[in-house]
Structures are given as C-alpha cells and as structure tokens.
C-alpha cells in the first residue's frame, strides 16, 4: 500500500497539490467559522475581517463555502451576514443604516442618510423607506438587500463635511421637507434632537447649511449661551 501511495503522488503531482490545497482551504474555512461564532448572530461579516490573517483567496473561498452551507448569508458583493433566524420571520436582517455603515467602512468612504431615512432617524416620520439614499464620497452604486435598496449617491465634499451626526441629519431632513413646507412642530422636534449635539459641532455645521436652516441652528445656539 505504501508503494501504491508513493506511485500516486509521483505519477499525479498536480492531483496531489490540488488535494493539498483543498485541505488548506477547508482548514481556513473552519477557522473563519470559529472566529465568526465568537460574535453575536446578526452581525455583518466582511472579507477584510480575515484577509490579513488568512489571505485574500483563502478568505474568498472560505466565505463562499460557508454561504453555500447556509452558515452565512450573502447580502451583496463582499458583504455577508451571520444570520439570526426567527421561526416565523426567517432571517432577521440588521437595520439598513448598519449595513450601509459597514459598506462605507469597507470602502473607506463617508456617508450621510438623506430623505425619508433622515426624517425617520430624527423621529419626524414613522415611515420606513424601502429605498434608502445615502450621500457619499465613495463610489456611486445601488445595492439590493432583500426587498430593500441602498443607493449611494456621489456628493460634493461640502455636503459630507458635517461633524455632528444629529446636525448633519437635521440638515438633510430639513432639505427633504423644504423651507415652505416645514411646520413649527417639526422645527420644535428637530431642536429637541439638536440639544443632544455638542454646541461647537452645531456651530460648525450651521455654516454648511442653507441660510434658513442656519437660522434654526442659530436659534438653538442662542439657547445654549443665554
């Protein structure tokens, strides 16, 4: 038997190398699986989490195999989910902003929610948009996540220069509503949210906003310094 095995390796060197590669990839796959299981279900998994440790190709093949086995779910190119499942609802997806932030982190890009998403995050709307638009300084693209879509829209640096999360959201929300349509109640709600923002961030972002929005920020700053 020993002579036979030696003959196989000698006569079929390519086959021998191929089998060795399969064994290596499988080993990496199990290591990546163990690494993922250390975290909570429902988290986003990116190839970049493992590429330095295991190599680009081994990581790519391992994540593909883990997806085919049902351990992971592919959300989009290079974006995977370690799924949490409910007996009735099936896979419980993370909120759309978490997914977008992970994509932006992978691409080393800045993003900011716009439109209905900004209104929703500020408590000005209970409507959950199916198609969410984010301004970005990264590549423009549209990514489908289940029945929803994330659109990354290229924006000028000024539109992404807000330092405060809440003040940046407020600018986008007020732009969505419009100067002529915004109500006193909506302005009051936005001001309540902006009271959680640091005054220096509010002052910085005020200078980036249209004048009518800057006036709303200015009213709030007067509240701080009375």
């Amino acid at each position: 038997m020993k002579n036979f095995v030696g003959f196989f390796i000698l006569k079929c060197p390519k086959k021998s190398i191929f089998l060795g590669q399969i064994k290596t990839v499988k080993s990496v796959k199990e290591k990546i699986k163990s690494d993922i299981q250390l975290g909570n279900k429902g988290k986003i998994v990116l190839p970049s989490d493992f590429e330095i440790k295991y190599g680009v190709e081994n990581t790519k093949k391992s994540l593909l195999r883990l997806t085919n086995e049902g351990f992971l779910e592919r959300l989009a190119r290079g974006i995977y989910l370690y799924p949490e499942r409910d007996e009735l609802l099936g896979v419980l997806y993370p909120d759309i902003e978490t997914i977008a932030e992970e994509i932006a982190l992978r691409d080393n890009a800045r993003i900011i929610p716009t439109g209905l998403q900004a209104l929703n995050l500020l408590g000005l709307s209970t409507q959950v948009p199916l198609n969410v638009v984010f301004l970005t300084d990264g590549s423009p693209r549209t990514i489908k996540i289940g029945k929803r879509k994330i659109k990354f829209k290229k924006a000028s640096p000024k539109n992404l220069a807000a330092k405060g999360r809440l003040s940046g959201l407020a600018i986008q929300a007020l732009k969505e509503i419009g100067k002529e349509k915004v109500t006193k109640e909506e302005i009051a709600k936005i001001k309540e949210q902006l009271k959680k923002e640091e005054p220096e961030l509010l002052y910085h972002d005020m200078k980036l906003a249209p004048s009518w929005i800057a006036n709303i920020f200015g009213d709030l700053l007067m509240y701080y310094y009375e």
Side-chain angles (χ1 to χ4, degrees):
M1 180 61 72
K2 290 182 179 179
N3 291 336
F4 177 76
V5 173
F7 176 81
F8 179 80
I9 294 173
L10 180 63
K11 292 296 183 179
C12 307
K14 291 184 179 179
K15 186 70 174 179
S16 175
I17 293 171
F18 177 73
L19 290 173
Q21 288 174 337
I22 294 251
K23 184 178 179 181
T24 301
V25 171
K26 183 177 180 181
S27 176
V28 170
K29 185 198 76 170
E30 294 304 320
K31 289 177 181 178
I32 288 177
K33 184 176 182 178
S34 296
D35 290 345
I36 293 171
Q37 287 174 320
L38 293 174
N40 296 324
K41 289 188 175 182
K43 73 175 181 178
I44 301 296
V45 175
L46 303 173
S48 56
D49 298 336
F50 311 102
E51 287 174 347
I52 293 177
K53 188 175 181 181
Y54 300 114
V56 174
E57 282 303 312
N58 280 344
T59 296
K60 181 179 178 180
K61 292 175 182 177
S62 297
L63 293 177
L64 177 60
R65 284 179 169 84
L66 289 171
T67 302
N68 290 338
E69 292 171 6
F71 177 76
L72 294 177
E73 178 157 331
R74 184 179 181 271
L75 296 179
R77 185 180 64 84
I79 304 289
Y80 300 86
L81 175 67
Y82 178 33
E84 180 180 1
R85 290 184 170 89
D86 181 87
E87 290 184 3
L88 296 177
L89 300 176
V91 175
L92 301 178
Y93 291 97
D95 64 82
I96 211 75
E97 190 175 12
T98 297
I99 297 172
E101 286 174 351
E102 290 291 348
I103 295 172
L105 180 64
R106 181 196 66 181
D107 296 344
N108 194 28
R110 291 180 295 173
I111 61 171
I112 186 168
T114 67
L116 283 176
Q117 181 72 0
L119 293 171
N120 186 274
L121 291 171
L122 286 173
L124 296 174
S125 172
T126 57
Q127 184 178 350
V128 179
L130 285 176
N131 302 319
V132 182
V133 179
F134 291 84
L135 301 182
T136 183
D137 56 0
S139 301
R141 71 185 76 177
T142 299
I143 297 173
K144 187 175 181 181
I145 308 291
K147 295 181 180 180
R148 305 183 70 185
K149 290 181 180 179
I150 303 174
K151 182 177 181 180
F152 294 100
K153 183 179 178 181
K154 191 78 172 179
S156 66
K158 181 179 179 181
N159 284 321
L160 293 157
K163 291 184 177 180
R165 171 169 170 74
L166 291 172
S167 50
L169 282 174
I171 292 172
Q172 296 304 321
L174 287 165
K175 283 182 177 180
E176 175 67 15
I177 297 169
K179 180 180 178 181
E180 304 303 324
K181 294 184 178 179
V182 67
T183 65
K184 292 181 179 179
E185 290 76 15
E186 287 170 330
I187 291 174
K189 285 183 179 180
I190 287 175
K191 284 183 176 180
E192 281 301 311
Q193 290 287 347
L194 290 177
K195 286 179 181 179
K196 304 171 188 176
E197 193 72 274
E198 295 293 331
E200 58 269 23
L201 298 182
L202 197 60
Y203 177 72
H204 173 276
D205 295 346
M206 178 179 73
K207 294 181 285 185
L208 303 172
S211 58
W212 68 277
I213 297 177
N215 290 337
I216 295 172
F217 284 27
D219 291 342
L220 193 58
L221 284 170
M222 289 177 63
Y223 162 84
Y224 281 116
Y225 297 109
E226 282 180 349

